[in-house]
Amino acid sequence: MEVHNPADGRIVGAVADTDPSQVEAAVARLRSEQPAWAALAPAERVEWLLRLQDWIFANSADIADLMQAETAKPRVDAEIEPMFVAEVIGYYAENAARFLAAEHPRPHSPANMSKKLAVTYHPYPVVGVITPWNYPLALPGIDAVPALLAGAAVVIKPSEATPLSAMELARGWAEIGAPPVLEVITGRGATGAAVVDAVDFVQFTGSTRTGKAVGHACVDRMIPYSLELGGKDPALVLADADLDRAARGIAFGGMLNAGQMCTSIERVYVVDAVYDEFVQRLVAIVAELRMGVDDREFRYDIGPLVDSAQVEIVRRHTDEAVAAGARVVVGGAATGQGNFFEPTVLVDTDHSMSCLAEETFGPTLPIVRVADEDEAVRLANDSAYGLSATVWTGDRARGERVASRLEAGTVNINDAHVNLFNLAVPMGGWKQSGVGARFGGAYGIRKYCRTRAVTVDRLPVAKSPSELLWFPYSRRKAGLALGMMRALRARGLRARIGRH
Ligand code: NDP
C-alpha cells in the first residue's frame, strides 16, 4: 500500500497490505512468546519499556520527520507524539508493579471473616490494538505500553493512511533487543477484522461505525473489548467567563491537529450576554492561525486534513449550514491545495444542521447563541455522542456544578484537551463515544488482565470435616445458617430474630 503526503499527494512510503490469512500466524507467534514475557517480574518488563523510552527520546526528531511525511502535521504536533508515548511509559513504569500486585480486600460480611481473600491479575495473552490516522504514533503507543507492562503480547494494526509512524514502535522494540512480543501488522479494514478474529482483547480507537462492527465481532467470540470512538464535544461559554482565555482555549480545542481529534470542540454554546464579544475575540484568533506545510521550524499551527474524503465531509457540513441560514465569519472553504481546509467559524447555526449533528473532524467551530446556562446544558446534552466537554466560567464551583449535569466522559473546566495529559483519570466516552476507557490509574493497566479470586482460611487451624451448608441438609443446620444471614442483614431487632 502506498502512503501519501496529504499536503501535496507525493508518495512517502509503501507497506505491506497484509492478507488477513497471515494475521493468524502472526498472532500465533506472539501467543507462543507471551508466556515467557508474562513470567518476567514487572520490574523486568518495566526495564524493557524504559529502554524503549530511551530509544524514543534518542530518535524523536526522526520519528517526527516521518510522521510529518505521512500526515503533514505542524512540527509541534509531530514532536509531541513521541514525547507523549514516553510520558505514558514513565507513568506506568513507575506504577505498574503496584497496580498489578495482588489485592487482599476485607471480606464483605462478618460471616466470611475466617477467609483470607486475594485478587490476582493475569494478562490476556494477545491484545490487538487497532488505531486511526490522526495520532499515528501516540494512539498505538499509549495503548500498547500498559498492555505490554501487564504481560500481554501486542499486535498493532494502524490505519492504512498512516502506518509508518506505528512501524517505528516495532523498529524501536526490535533495535533495543526486546523479547518478540510486539508486532505491527499493516493492512486495510479486512486486516483489522482479522486481528479482531485472532486476539484475546481488542483495544479499538476509531469511528463509531467501525467500533460497532468490532464490538459485534468481539461479542461473537466472547472476548472483551474497549472502544474509543467519535465525539462531538461541546464548549459552554457562560456569562462570567474570562472571554480572552475562553476564545484562545476554544480556538485551540477546536483547531488542534486541524480539528482531527476525537476530543475536538465541535459545538460552541455561548450565552447571549457575552455572545458578540466572544465571537469577535474568537474570530480574531482563528483568523490569525497559520496554515501550511511545516518543516522543523515550528512555523505553522494548522496542517491539512488526512485525505480528500475528510475534506469533503468538512465542505459538506459547512455548505449545508450556509444553505440553511448559517454565516461563515472566517474561513469556510478548501484552499484547493492538497487537503487543506481553512480554519472556519460559523454563526447562526442550530441543531437541524449537519455541522452540529454529525462528527466533522475538521477545523470548523459552529457557534450557537443560548439564553442561559440551562439552555447551554440542554443543547450540549442533545447529542448521540458523549466523549468530552469544556465549560468556561469565572466561578469554579459553578463550573463543577455544570460539569455534573453534562453527559460526557470528561469535562475540562477552563481548559481544553488537558485531561489527555492526566493519566490518573480515565479517558472514555459515554453514549455513542465508546465502551470502557484508556488510562485511569490502575484501571488503565488492569483492563488488560483477567482477574482471579482466591479464598483460603485465614488461620491454619484444623478444620471440621464439613461446613454448615454442605450436605446432608437438615432443619437444624439450615435454621442456623439462615438465621445467621437474617440476623446480619435484616433491619430492626424483631426482623433480625424472625418476628414480623
Ligand atoms: P475508522 O473507524 O475508519 O478506522 C479505525 C481503524 O480501524 C483503522 O485502523 C481501520 O483500518 C480499522 N478498521 C476498519 N474496518 C475495520 C474492521 N471491520 N475491523 C477492524 N478494524 C477495522 O476510523 P478513522 O481512521 O477514520 O479515524 C477517525 C475516527 O477515530 C473518528 O471518528 C475519531 O473521533 C475517532 N477517534 C477516537 C478517539 C478516542 O479516543 N475516542 C481518538 C482518535 C480518533 P483502515 O484505516 O486501514 O481502514
Side-chain angles (χ1 to χ4, degrees):
M1 299 185 304
E2 286 170 351
V3 182
H4 296 264
N5 177 287
D8 55 20
R10 75 181 193 279
I11 296 169
V12 293
V15 299
D17 182 2
T18 310
D19 192 83
S21 63
Q22 290 171 269
V23 171
E24 208 176 299
V27 171
R29 264 195 315 274
L30 289 168
R31 206 177 280 292
S32 70
E33 298 290 343
Q34 184 268 340
W37 175 247
L40 297 178
E44 293 172 286
R45 291 196 296 272
V46 161
E47 180 54 30
W48 282 116
L49 268 296
L50 289 176
R51 286 189 204 173
L52 180 67
Q53 190 191 51
D54 295 340
W55 185 91
I56 288 172
F57 280 129
N59 291 277
S60 64
D62 293 341
I63 296 172
D65 287 344
L66 190 65
M67 194 186 307
Q68 283 182 302
E70 66 177 353
T71 65
K73 279 175 192 250
R75 189 67 184 178
V76 178
D77 293 354
E79 290 248 11
I80 202 81
E81 291 203 40
M83 291 301 145
F84 189 36
V85 177
E87 178 67 19
V88 171
I89 292 175
Y91 171 68
Y92 284 113
E94 275 167 15
N95 293 291
R98 184 165 62 88
F99 290 161
L100 294 170
E103 293 183 305
H104 298 285
R106 273 170 61 84
H108 78 280
S109 157
N112 304 79
M113 278 305 173
S114 64
K115 295 294 182 192
K116 179 182 164 196
L117 307 181
V119 181
T120 55
Y121 294 93
H122 310 274
Y124 289 101
V126 183
V127 169
V129 172
I130 300 175
T131 50
W133 39 262
N134 58 342
Y135 283 86
L137 179 85
L139 286 170
I142 62 181
D143 288 333
V145 165
L148 285 167
L149 281 172
V154 173
V155 56
I156 295 170
K157 194 329 242 161
S159 166
E160 66 192 71
T162 56
L164 304 178
S165 305
M167 288 175 73
E168 288 295 277
L169 282 175
R171 184 165 76 87
W173 193 251
E175 281 188 12
I176 61 171
V181 289
L182 174 66
E183 283 204 28
V184 175
I185 298 184
T186 54
R188 302 177 198 274
T191 309
V195 167
V196 174
D197 284 342
V199 298
D200 307 296
F201 182 105
V202 176
Q203 171 63 45
F204 174 86
T205 305
S207 64
T208 298
R209 194 166 61 85
T210 311
K212 281 184 183 169
V214 168
H216 281 299
C218 290
V219 169
D220 277 346
R221 296 194 52 228
M222 284 300 270
I223 61 163
Y225 54 92
S226 186
L227 305 176
E228 312 293 335
L229 308 178
K232 190 76 190 169
D233 288 1
L236 291 75
V237 183
L238 306 182
D240 59 358
D242 172 342
L243 293 185
D244 227 18
R245 183 172 172 86
R248 283 176 196 290
I250 289 171
F252 177 70
M255 302 294 174
L256 173 60
N257 207 32
Q260 301 169 111
M261 178 114 186
C262 52
T263 51
S264 268
I265 295 175
E266 294 210 356
R267 298 178 288 147
V268 187
Y269 302 101
V270 188
V271 298
D272 189 42
V274 292
Y275 181 89
D276 292 333
E277 200 181 336
F278 171 80
V279 171
Q280 202 181 20
R281 291 185 196 208
L282 178 71
V283 167
I285 293 162
V286 170
E288 294 207 334
L289 292 175
R290 299 157 304 169
M291 187 170 61
V293 183
D294 222 347
D295 43 25
R296 286 185 164 193
E297 297 300 317
F298 302 91
R299 283 183 304 167
Y300 291 105
D301 307 305
I302 309 266
L305 300 177
V306 68
D307 55 24
S308 55
Q310 204 56 43
V311 176
E312 202 34 54
I313 294 172
V314 182
R315 191 203 317 268
R316 178 171 66 79
H317 285 187
T318 306
D319 292 352
E320 286 176 359
V322 170
R327 262 187 320 120
V328 170
V329 221
V330 59
T335 65
Q337 267 189 330
N339 299 323
F340 284 96
F341 197 99
E342 295 165 345
T344 297
V345 176
L346 288 158
V347 294
D348 301 338
T349 57
D350 65 52
H351 276 213
S352 67
M353 299 172 182
S354 52
C355 69
L356 284 170
E358 299 169 18
E359 185 179 42
T360 307
F361 229 58
T364 57
L365 281 167
I367 312 202
V368 181
R369 187 194 292 265
V370 294
D372 53 21
E373 175 186 312
D374 282 347
E375 189 181 12
V377 170
R378 184 175 61 74
L379 289 177
N381 287 339
D382 178 25
S383 171
Y385 295 107
L387 193 54
S388 72
T390 62
V391 180
W392 304 84
T393 169
D395 178 346
R396 207 166 68 178
R398 184 183 193 190
E400 287 166 349
R401 207 172 55 236
V402 171
S404 74
R405 300 171 65 196
L406 292 173
E407 295 166 5
T410 300
V411 180
N412 290 311
I413 300 170
N414 294 324
D415 214 329
H417 300 308
V418 71
N419 65 297
L420 304 178
F421 298 94
N422 281 283
L423 309 182
V425 291
M427 182 218 167
W430 289 15
K431 303 200 271 190
Q432 301 284 305
S433 290
V435 173
R438 56 164 60 97
F439 307 143
Y443 167 84
I445 188 165
R446 286 181 186 161
K447 71 186 230 190
Y448 295 112
C449 297
R450 297 165 287 196
T451 54
R452 180 182 292 124
V454 179
T455 72
V456 65
D457 286 314
R458 192 173 289 280
L459 298 172
V461 289
K463 293 289 291 180
S464 80
S466 185
E467 294 284 335
L468 204 52
L469 271 181
W470 289 3
F471 301 137
Y473 288 161
S474 76
R475 181 176 294 280
R476 186 187 64 82
K477 291 200 304 174
L480 264 174
L482 299 176
M484 189 164 71
M485 291 169 85
R486 175 189 291 275
L488 287 170
R489 284 286 171 224
R491 299 205 298 164
L493 187 60
R494 287 179 62 80
R496 283 188 189 180
I497 59 175
R499 300 263 163 89
H500 294 282

